[in-house]
Amino acid sequence: MKNYLTALKPPARTQRQRLTPDQVRNNAGGFTFKVSDEGRFLRFLILGTEGGTYYATESAHTVQATDFIRTYAAQHGAAALRLILEVMRGHRAPKPDATLLALALVARSADLETRRAAWNALPEVARTGTMLLHFLAYMDALGGWGRLTRRGVARVYEDLPLEKLALWAVKYRSRDGWAQADALRLSHPHSTDPARHAVFRHLLGHPLPYLEAPDPALQMLEGHGRAMSVTTDPEAAALMREYGLPIEAIPTGARGAGVYRAAMQSNGLTWLLRNLGNLSRLGLLAPQHPEVVAEVLARLNSREALRRGHLHPLDLLKAQLVYAQGRGVRGGNVWTPVPAVIDALERAFYLVFGLVKPSGARHLLALDVSGSMDIGTVGGVPGLTPRLATAAMSLVTARAEAQTTPVAFTAGPGGFGGRWGGGTPGLTPLTISPAQRLDDVVKAMRALPMGGTDCALPMLWAAKERVPVDVFVVYTDNETWAGKVHPSVALEQYRQRMGIGTRLVVVGMTATAFSVADPGDTGMLDVVGFDAAAPNLIGSFARGEL
């Protein structure tokens, strides 16, 4: 057998040296490929800026991303707006903040035609009163209100269905230092409908006028007025059922078990996920109330309910992390978690990702478990590090694909019988099976010795051992610097040695501008880590459909 070191001579350039003129230095000091402007903008929309990485602070990432999207929005406004709408319509982002900021930049700095299109898209993007006020706060920070801004905001209030406008008047009165009344005073919406005009007056602090034929939507405002004076939980719960009031209409001191039970019946899954801890704290979601436990489990196990809720997988993972720890992220609330609910949240996480169509390809999953992956957060979720997100994403693929070989980048000596990566960094086998729970995979990852990340190792090892692989999937923050061979070179060497048109997918867990994948190689693909479309996208790429 030909000597491996002779057959695969590494190039003189290491990952700390530029391989091609289009490579750039990343935050760790290594050279990687720059993500395309559109790809970087998409990363920002989905991953946002929270958490940063080990090598670049969160504030630095925020400044970089904001400067970049400001330029991109001004120079490529139509493309930016198209991406914003794709992300919002596909519910691909775990949080709307980055999308709202990007829309504000387009509405402020793009050409006139695109700015008008951005304002026309505002009602679709800002689906709730909170999102509208977030957007207005961004617009104000970007330079105040102009005529186009006033008209765009006025149209939201003029065209919003009356029932939804009444709900906004009760549930979303103020956020981010902005109130609905502020938006009304600045935008001056007009309406000839007496009922809509009455809601406007209510938002401005005036009493409801007498109408001979009041619209049923105004009953919620009447109920809100009555609810402001209640002091007991039973009274408040009765008003909620009578008028269809949201829990935000009830004074905090009157919110007891009855109020939360009524809220369960009138709210969707998003509210339920955010209040599982409160339900258990109040003794509702507990073994002594099996009917409540059964109702929660039924909703979490319902594929149709999850679809209607437009939930992102991160919503489920966040809910599981917070609920399982038995205490709130803020404040002193504590509760006793129900194990069946924790299990249902994990099942729902995979359901929300959807049924991933198996590609039938042979996958090698390479997980970056270096120190930078264990610092910071993904999507702003406390406790959800890029490392944990990597475990979750790899489990999704392992459950869909029958032929997977999971490995981890670790400190040497490497695994595989000590024959590979016998130094720093190394490569270690990792057991990931479809039957495993997420926390079991995370424990296995945390037991591994962390070291620098050499993203070329999977291809070099597979070539040396002659392991047939159709798709290498690397999960990383792209802050890679270690190794004597660039990953793109290692992939090409593997293809030549094995005679396989192998592909490489790089799943980036942070919103930086760097990628290991060579944009000039059609057999390489960059994917945003917690994009809800990611698993099916990887499968389509593995089947050669992209």
Side-chain angles (χ1 to χ4, degrees), residues 191-226:
S191 177
T192 57
D193 178 10
R196 186 173 296 271
H197 189 68
V199 179
F200 290 165
R201 288 181 54 81
H202 178 81
L203 280 168
L204 293 170
H206 301 294
L208 284 174
Y210 171 77
L211 298 176
E212 291 187 2
D215 192 286
L218 299 183
Q219 291 183 356
M220 179 174 289
L221 303 184
E222 178 188 341
H224 182 219
R226 291 184 58 188

mmCIF file of all heavy atoms in Angstrom, residues 191-226:
data_model
loop_
_atom_site.group_PDB
_atom_site.id
_atom_site.type_symbol
_atom_site.label_atom_id
_atom_site.label_comp_id
_atom_site.label_asym_id
_atom_site.label_seq_id
_atom_site.Cartn_x
_atom_site.Cartn_y
_atom_site.Cartn_z
ATOM 1 N N SER A 191 -59.243 57.561 9.797
ATOM 2 C CA SER A 191 -60.246 56.517 9.582
ATOM 3 C C SER A 191 -61.634 57.125 9.688
ATOM 4 O O SER A 191 -61.896 57.971 10.550
ATOM 5 C CB SER A 191 -60.092 55.390 10.610
ATOM 6 O OG SER A 191 -61.108 54.424 10.435
ATOM 7 N N THR A 192 -62.514 56.695 8.793
ATOM 8 C CA THR A 192 -63.916 57.125 8.861
ATOM 9 C C THR A 192 -64.766 56.127 9.630
ATOM 10 O O THR A 192 -65.964 56.356 9.815
ATOM 11 C CB THR A 192 -64.474 57.295 7.438
ATOM 12 O OG1 THR A 192 -64.331 56.051 6.728
ATOM 13 C CG2 THR A 192 -63.720 58.395 6.688
ATOM 14 N N ASP A 193 -64.147 55.029 10.069
ATOM 15 C CA ASP A 193 -64.855 53.997 10.829
ATOM 16 C C ASP A 193 -64.934 54.438 12.288
ATOM 17 O O ASP A 193 -63.895 54.589 12.952
ATOM 18 C CB ASP A 193 -64.111 52.672 10.697
ATOM 19 C CG ASP A 193 -64.766 51.549 11.496
ATOM 20 O OD1 ASP A 193 -65.890 51.745 11.991
ATOM 21 O OD2 ASP A 193 -64.138 50.481 11.630
ATOM 22 N N PRO A 194 -66.137 54.617 12.837
ATOM 23 C CA PRO A 194 -66.257 55.066 14.228
ATOM 24 C C PRO A 194 -65.600 54.105 15.221
ATOM 25 O O PRO A 194 -65.010 54.547 16.217
ATOM 26 C CB PRO A 194 -67.774 55.137 14.456
ATOM 27 C CG PRO A 194 -68.356 55.268 13.089
ATOM 28 C CD PRO A 194 -67.441 54.506 12.188
ATOM 29 N N ALA A 195 -65.684 52.805 14.965
ATOM 30 C CA ALA A 195 -65.096 51.835 15.890
ATOM 31 C C ALA A 195 -63.571 51.943 15.888
ATOM 32 O O ALA A 195 -62.920 51.928 16.941
ATOM 33 C CB ALA A 195 -65.531 50.419 15.510
ATOM 34 N N ARG A 196 -62.951 52.064 14.703
ATOM 35 C CA ARG A 196 -61.492 52.196 14.636
ATOM 36 C C ARG A 196 -61.059 53.507 15.291
ATOM 37 O O ARG A 196 -60.051 53.560 16.010
ATOM 38 C CB ARG A 196 -61.022 52.139 13.176
ATOM 39 C CG ARG A 196 -59.495 52.125 13.021
ATOM 40 C CD ARG A 196 -59.110 51.897 11.563
ATOM 41 N NE ARG A 196 -59.550 50.592 11.101
ATOM 42 C CZ ARG A 196 -58.838 49.474 11.200
ATOM 43 N NH1 ARG A 196 -57.630 49.507 11.744
ATOM 44 N NH2 ARG A 196 -59.318 48.333 10.756
ATOM 45 N N HIS A 197 -61.819 54.561 15.052
ATOM 46 C CA HIS A 197 -61.508 55.849 15.666
ATOM 47 C C HIS A 197 -61.593 55.742 17.192
ATOM 48 O O HIS A 197 -60.791 56.363 17.917
ATOM 49 C CB HIS A 197 -62.474 56.916 15.153
ATOM 50 C CG HIS A 197 -62.108 58.305 15.562
ATOM 51 N ND1 HIS A 197 -60.994 58.972 15.091
ATOM 52 C CD2 HIS A 197 -62.706 59.168 16.435
ATOM 53 C CE1 HIS A 197 -60.918 60.162 15.638
ATOM 54 N NE2 HIS A 197 -61.958 60.313 16.456
ATOM 55 N N ALA A 198 -62.537 54.927 17.685
ATOM 56 C CA ALA A 198 -62.670 54.736 19.132
ATOM 57 C C ALA A 198 -61.443 54.039 19.715
ATOM 58 O O ALA A 198 -60.985 54.376 20.813
ATOM 59 C CB ALA A 198 -63.942 53.926 19.432
ATOM 60 N N VAL A 199 -60.884 53.060 18.973
ATOM 61 C CA VAL A 199 -59.672 52.380 19.446
ATOM 62 C C VAL A 199 -58.504 53.368 19.477
ATOM 63 O O VAL A 199 -57.704 53.376 20.423
ATOM 64 C CB VAL A 199 -59.335 51.173 18.558
ATOM 65 C CG1 VAL A 199 -58.063 50.490 19.048
ATOM 66 C CG2 VAL A 199 -60.487 50.172 18.551
ATOM 67 N N PHE A 200 -58.417 54.220 18.442
ATOM 68 C CA PHE A 200 -57.353 55.231 18.439
ATOM 69 C C PHE A 200 -57.453 56.108 19.690
ATOM 70 O O PHE A 200 -56.448 56.385 20.360
ATOM 71 C CB PHE A 200 -57.454 56.116 17.191
ATOM 72 C CG PHE A 200 -57.112 55.426 15.899
ATOM 73 C CD1 PHE A 200 -57.450 55.997 14.672
ATOM 74 C CD2 PHE A 200 -56.444 54.206 15.883
ATOM 75 C CE1 PHE A 200 -57.139 55.383 13.482
ATOM 76 C CE2 PHE A 200 -56.124 53.575 14.684
ATOM 77 C CZ PHE A 200 -56.483 54.168 13.484
ATOM 78 N N ARG A 201 -58.660 56.558 20.001
ATOM 79 C CA ARG A 201 -58.854 57.423 21.176
ATOM 80 C C ARG A 201 -58.504 56.681 22.468
ATOM 81 O O ARG A 201 -57.913 57.244 23.386
ATOM 82 C CB ARG A 201 -60.299 57.923 21.231
ATOM 83 C CG ARG A 201 -60.626 58.962 20.168
ATOM 84 C CD ARG A 201 -62.069 59.447 20.295
ATOM 85 N NE ARG A 201 -62.376 59.939 21.648
ATOM 86 C CZ ARG A 201 -62.062 61.168 22.095
ATOM 87 N NH1 ARG A 201 -61.443 62.026 21.286
ATOM 88 N NH2 ARG A 201 -62.395 61.520 23.317
ATOM 89 N N HIS A 202 -58.861 55.398 22.524
ATOM 90 C CA HIS A 202 -58.532 54.592 23.714
ATOM 91 C C HIS A 202 -57.016 54.501 23.890
ATOM 92 O O HIS A 202 -56.501 54.635 25.013
ATOM 93 C CB HIS A 202 -59.141 53.203 23.570
ATOM 94 C CG HIS A 202 -58.819 52.284 24.714
ATOM 95 N ND1 HIS A 202 -59.513 52.320 25.908
ATOM 96 C CD2 HIS A 202 -57.877 51.312 24.858
ATOM 97 C CE1 HIS A 202 -59.015 51.405 26.727
ATOM 98 N NE2 HIS A 202 -58.020 50.784 26.110
ATOM 99 N N LEU A 203 -56.294 54.295 22.796
ATOM 100 C CA LEU A 203 -54.836 54.214 22.864
ATOM 101 C C LEU A 203 -54.232 55.541 23.331
ATOM 102 O O LEU A 203 -53.169 55.562 23.967
ATOM 103 C CB LEU A 203 -54.268 53.841 21.497
ATOM 104 C CG LEU A 203 -54.330 52.361 21.121
ATOM 105 C CD1 LEU A 203 -54.025 52.159 19.642
ATOM 106 C CD2 LEU A 203 -53.350 51.555 21.969
ATOM 107 N N LEU A 204 -54.896 56.646 23.034
ATOM 108 C CA LEU A 204 -54.409 57.962 23.435
ATOM 109 C C LEU A 204 -54.851 58.354 24.840
ATOM 110 O O LEU A 204 -54.567 59.462 25.298
ATOM 111 C CB LEU A 204 -54.877 59.021 22.432
ATOM 112 C CG LEU A 204 -54.267 58.906 21.028
ATOM 113 C CD1 LEU A 204 -54.971 59.828 20.048
ATOM 114 C CD2 LEU A 204 -52.780 59.214 21.071
ATOM 115 N N GLY A 205 -55.551 57.423 25.521
ATOM 116 C CA GLY A 205 -55.921 57.673 26.912
ATOM 117 C C GLY A 205 -57.299 58.244 27.119
ATOM 118 O O GLY A 205 -57.656 58.612 28.248
ATOM 119 N N HIS A 206 -58.109 58.308 26.069
ATOM 120 C CA HIS A 206 -59.457 58.849 26.195
ATOM 121 C C HIS A 206 -60.455 57.719 26.478
ATOM 122 O O HIS A 206 -60.251 56.575 26.054
ATOM 123 C CB HIS A 206 -59.874 59.585 24.920
ATOM 124 C CG HIS A 206 -58.974 60.726 24.568
ATOM 125 N ND1 HIS A 206 -58.869 61.862 25.343
ATOM 126 C CD2 HIS A 206 -58.116 60.901 23.522
ATOM 127 C CE1 HIS A 206 -57.995 62.691 24.800
ATOM 128 N NE2 HIS A 206 -57.521 62.126 23.694
ATOM 129 N N PRO A 207 -61.576 58.020 27.153
ATOM 130 C CA PRO A 207 -62.587 56.980 27.394
ATOM 131 C C PRO A 207 -63.287 56.585 26.101
ATOM 132 O O PRO A 207 -63.315 57.350 25.122
ATOM 133 C CB PRO A 207 -63.565 57.658 28.367
ATOM 134 C CG PRO A 207 -63.375 59.122 28.131
ATOM 135 C CD PRO A 207 -61.926 59.306 27.777
ATOM 136 N N LEU A 208 -63.822 55.373 26.097
ATOM 137 C CA LEU A 208 -64.547 54.903 24.922
ATOM 138 C C LEU A 208 -65.801 55.746 24.710
ATOM 139 O O LEU A 208 -66.568 55.978 25.652
ATOM 140 C CB LEU A 208 -64.937 53.434 25.078
ATOM 141 C CG LEU A 208 -63.839 52.393 24.892
ATOM 142 C CD1 LEU A 208 -64.375 51.006 25.237
ATOM 143 C CD2 LEU A 208 -63.317 52.405 23.458
ATOM 144 N N PRO A 209 -66.031 56.195 23.478
ATOM 145 C CA PRO A 209 -67.245 56.972 23.226
ATOM 146 C C PRO A 209 -68.469 56.058 23.141
ATOM 147 O O PRO A 209 -68.347 54.845 22.940
ATOM 148 C CB PRO A 209 -66.946 57.635 21.875
ATOM 149 C CG PRO A 209 -66.035 56.659 21.194
ATOM 150 C CD PRO A 209 -65.185 56.063 22.289
ATOM 151 N N TYR A 210 -69.638 56.664 23.280
ATOM 152 C CA TYR A 210 -70.868 55.889 23.127
ATOM 153 C C TYR A 210 -71.143 55.681 21.642
ATOM 154 O O TYR A 210 -71.088 56.617 20.845
ATOM 155 C CB TYR A 210 -72.047 56.625 23.763
ATOM 156 C CG TYR A 210 -73.379 55.979 23.444
ATOM 157 C CD1 TYR A 210 -73.785 54.805 24.107
ATOM 158 C CD2 TYR A 210 -74.205 56.516 22.461
ATOM 159 C CE1 TYR A 210 -74.990 54.195 23.799
ATOM 160 C CE2 TYR A 210 -75.414 55.906 22.148
ATOM 161 C CZ TYR A 210 -75.799 54.750 22.818
ATOM 162 O OH TYR A 210 -76.995 54.141 22.499
ATOM 163 N N LEU A 211 -71.363 54.448 21.260
ATOM 164 C CA LEU A 211 -71.714 54.133 19.885
ATOM 165 C C LEU A 211 -73.043 53.397 19.875
ATOM 166 O O LEU A 211 -73.266 52.473 20.672
ATOM 167 C CB LEU A 211 -70.636 53.264 19.232
ATOM 168 C CG LEU A 211 -69.227 53.864 19.108
ATOM 169 C CD1 LEU A 211 -68.260 52.835 18.525
ATOM 170 C CD2 LEU A 211 -69.250 55.115 18.246
ATOM 171 N N GLU A 212 -73.941 53.794 18.982
ATOM 172 C CA GLU A 212 -75.254 53.161 18.925
ATOM 173 C C GLU A 212 -75.147 51.681 18.560
ATOM 174 O O GLU A 212 -75.911 50.854 19.058
ATOM 175 C CB GLU A 212 -76.136 53.886 17.899
ATOM 176 C CG GLU A 212 -76.538 55.284 18.332
ATOM 177 C CD GLU A 212 -77.537 55.899 17.375
ATOM 178 O OE1 GLU A 212 -77.939 55.202 16.407
ATOM 179 O OE2 GLU A 212 -77.919 57.056 17.589
ATOM 180 N N ALA A 213 -74.218 51.355 17.664
ATOM 181 C CA ALA A 213 -74.020 49.949 17.263
ATOM 182 C C ALA A 213 -72.534 49.622 17.405
ATOM 183 O O ALA A 213 -71.804 49.585 16.406
ATOM 184 C CB ALA A 213 -74.506 49.725 15.843
ATOM 185 N N PRO A 214 -72.072 49.414 18.638
ATOM 186 C CA PRO A 214 -70.625 49.186 18.839
ATOM 187 C C PRO A 214 -70.168 47.889 18.182
ATOM 188 O O PRO A 214 -70.892 46.892 18.160
ATOM 189 C CB PRO A 214 -70.484 49.124 20.364
ATOM 190 C CG PRO A 214 -71.834 48.710 20.850
ATOM 191 C CD PRO A 214 -72.817 49.332 19.896
ATOM 192 N N ASP A 215 -68.969 47.928 17.639
ATOM 193 C CA ASP A 215 -68.372 46.741 17.040
ATOM 194 C C ASP A 215 -68.011 45.752 18.139
ATOM 195 O O ASP A 215 -67.546 46.149 19.218
ATOM 196 C CB ASP A 215 -67.106 47.127 16.266
ATOM 197 C CG ASP A 215 -66.601 45.996 15.390
ATOM 198 O OD1 ASP A 215 -66.037 45.035 15.949
ATOM 199 O OD2 ASP A 215 -66.771 46.078 14.163
ATOM 200 N N PRO A 216 -68.225 44.424 17.898
ATOM 201 C CA PRO A 216 -67.872 43.435 18.933
ATOM 202 C C PRO A 216 -66.416 43.521 19.376
ATOM 203 O O PRO A 216 -66.088 43.158 20.518
ATOM 204 C CB PRO A 216 -68.164 42.105 18.234
ATOM 205 C CG PRO A 216 -69.190 42.423 17.213
ATOM 206 C CD PRO A 216 -68.876 43.805 16.737
ATOM 207 N N ALA A 217 -65.535 44.010 18.512
ATOM 208 C CA ALA A 217 -64.122 44.110 18.876
ATOM 209 C C ALA A 217 -63.900 45.058 20.043
ATOM 210 O O ALA A 217 -62.917 44.922 20.789
ATOM 211 C CB ALA A 217 -63.302 44.568 17.667
ATOM 212 N N LEU A 218 -64.814 46.018 20.217
ATOM 213 C CA LEU A 218 -64.646 46.991 21.296
ATOM 214 C C LEU A 218 -64.952 46.398 22.669
ATOM 215 O O LEU A 218 -64.633 47.007 23.695
ATOM 216 C CB LEU A 218 -65.547 48.210 21.048
ATOM 217 C CG LEU A 218 -65.277 48.993 19.754
ATOM 218 C CD1 LEU A 218 -66.189 50.208 19.666
ATOM 219 C CD2 LEU A 218 -63.820 49.416 19.683
ATOM 220 N N GLN A 219 -65.562 45.218 22.706
ATOM 221 C CA GLN A 219 -65.855 44.586 23.992
ATOM 222 C C GLN A 219 -64.574 44.291 24.769
ATOM 223 O O GLN A 219 -64.562 44.345 26.003
ATOM 224 C CB GLN A 219 -66.654 43.298 23.773
ATOM 225 C CG GLN A 219 -68.074 43.526 23.265
ATOM 226 C CD GLN A 219 -68.851 42.226 23.138
ATOM 227 O OE1 GLN A 219 -68.318 41.145 23.362
ATOM 228 N NE2 GLN A 219 -70.120 42.333 22.773
ATOM 229 N N MET A 220 -63.486 43.979 24.055
ATOM 230 C CA MET A 220 -62.229 43.717 24.743
ATOM 231 C C MET A 220 -61.749 44.961 25.473
ATOM 232 O O MET A 220 -61.228 44.867 26.596
ATOM 233 C CB MET A 220 -61.164 43.246 23.755
ATOM 234 C CG MET A 220 -59.808 42.966 24.404
ATOM 235 S SD MET A 220 -58.601 42.241 23.286
ATOM 236 C CE MET A 220 -59.282 40.594 23.075
ATOM 237 N N LEU A 221 -61.939 46.131 24.872
ATOM 238 C CA LEU A 221 -61.532 47.371 25.533
ATOM 239 C C LEU A 221 -62.400 47.638 26.758
ATOM 240 O O LEU A 221 -61.918 48.110 27.795
ATOM 241 C CB LEU A 221 -61.618 48.542 24.558
ATOM 242 C CG LEU A 221 -60.800 48.401 23.270
ATOM 243 C CD1 LEU A 221 -60.890 49.681 22.441
ATOM 244 C CD2 LEU A 221 -59.350 48.082 23.594
ATOM 245 N N GLU A 222 -63.688 47.325 26.654
ATOM 246 C CA GLU A 222 -64.584 47.464 27.818
ATOM 247 C C GLU A 222 -64.148 46.527 28.945
ATOM 248 O O GLU A 222 -64.079 46.909 30.118
ATOM 249 C CB GLU A 222 -66.023 47.153 27.406
ATOM 250 C CG GLU A 222 -67.024 47.218 28.555
ATOM 251 C CD GLU A 222 -68.407 46.726 28.152
ATOM 252 O OE1 GLU A 222 -68.687 46.673 26.936
ATOM 253 O OE2 GLU A 222 -69.193 46.392 29.062
ATOM 254 N N GLY A 223 -63.826 45.281 28.570
ATOM 255 C CA GLY A 223 -63.365 44.331 29.579
ATOM 256 C C GLY A 223 -62.055 44.754 30.207
ATOM 257 O O GLY A 223 -61.836 44.555 31.410
ATOM 258 N N HIS A 224 -61.182 45.353 29.406
ATOM 259 C CA HIS A 224 -59.908 45.827 29.946
ATOM 260 C C HIS A 224 -60.131 46.895 31.004
ATOM 261 O O HIS A 224 -59.485 46.906 32.057
ATOM 262 C CB HIS A 224 -59.053 46.394 28.812
ATOM 263 C CG HIS A 224 -57.706 46.873 29.247
ATOM 264 N ND1 HIS A 224 -57.117 48.003 28.737
ATOM 265 C CD2 HIS A 224 -56.834 46.387 30.172
ATOM 266 C CE1 HIS A 224 -55.945 48.186 29.320
ATOM 267 N NE2 HIS A 224 -55.753 47.222 30.181
ATOM 268 N N GLY A 225 -61.101 47.792 30.735
ATOM 269 C CA GLY A 225 -61.416 48.822 31.717
ATOM 270 C C GLY A 225 -61.900 48.233 33.027
ATOM 271 O O GLY A 225 -61.524 48.699 34.114
ATOM 272 N N ARG A 226 -62.722 47.200 32.950
ATOM 273 C CA ARG A 226 -63.214 46.549 34.165
ATOM 274 C C ARG A 226 -62.097 45.789 34.883
ATOM 275 O O ARG A 226 -62.040 45.761 36.115
ATOM 276 C CB ARG A 226 -64.346 45.587 33.814
ATOM 277 C CG ARG A 226 -65.627 46.261 33.344
ATOM 278 C CD ARG A 226 -66.720 45.236 33.101
ATOM 279 N NE ARG A 226 -67.000 44.457 34.301
ATOM 280 C CZ ARG A 226 -67.795 43.388 34.336
ATOM 281 N NH1 ARG A 226 -68.358 42.964 33.205
ATOM 282 N NH2 ARG A 226 -68.017 42.740 35.455
#
